[in-house]
Amino acid sequence: MNPKIFMALRIAFGLFLIVFGSNKLFHFMPMGQMSEAANEYFSALMSTNTLNMVALVEILAGLSLLANKFGALMMIILMTISVNAILFNAFLEPSSIGPALILLLLNIIMLYFYKDRYKDIIRP
């Protein structure tokens, strides 16, 4: 793989994660209208502080990508958030699935770039 492409994607994805993770904590970007079911689900995540934990994981993943430390581990952990974001948008808010698709796509690309780090885990 071209190391310059990997570095550019790593930095872009790291910034993406930090901005959107920080937004979950500090609410500096306006949120659009959501359906009633999505709003109830989102409210439940907020009332149990689950959304704050997701935000912290996203921020930590972004910082690890920017620092180029523990990126492979954070991409595995972040995949659970990526899949959950896709499922949330696919079933409750299909009109706003774009950022979730970007998150999943970048996560898969980063997993591919880190594939050599996972060889011992997936060895038969």
Side-chain angles (χ1 to χ4, degrees):
M1 284 299 134
N2 187 339
K4 289 183 181 179
I5 292 173
F6 174 66
M7 184 179 71
L9 280 173
R10 186 174 50 79
I11 291 171
F13 192 34
L15 292 172
F16 176 87
L17 289 169
I18 290 170
V19 168
F20 284 98
S22 297
N23 183 51
K24 286 179 182 69
L25 289 176
F26 304 114
H27 312 289
F28 52 84
M29 288 189 283
M31 224 165 70
Q33 288 287 67
M34 289 191 289
S35 68
E36 186 178 335
N39 198 23
E40 288 177 16
Y41 179 77
F42 211 75
S43 296
L45 289 177
M46 291 177 72
S47 69
T48 60
N49 288 324
T50 303
L51 200 59
N52 291 339
M53 302 300 350
V54 169
L56 289 175
V57 169
E58 287 179 354
I59 292 168
L60 286 174
L63 290 173
S64 73
L65 287 175
L66 291 180
N68 201 17
K69 300 286 184 192
F70 306 108
L73 172 64
M74 293 308 290
M75 291 306 98
I76 291 174
I77 294 168
L78 189 65
M79 184 54 80
T80 60
I81 293 172
S82 301
V83 170
N84 193 17
I86 287 291
L87 293 173
F88 169 80
N89 283 285
F91 293 107
L92 297 175
E93 273 305 308
S95 62
S96 62
I97 200 165
L101 285 173
I102 292 170
L103 176 70
L104 182 65
L105 179 65
L106 286 172
N107 201 173
I108 290 170
I109 290 169
M110 294 305 292
L111 284 168
Y112 178 76
F113 275 114
Y114 283 121
K115 71 179 186 249
D116 292 337
R117 306 258 178 109
Y118 306 127
K119 285 184 179 178
D120 288 337
I121 296 172
I122 56 176
R123 186 174 20 147

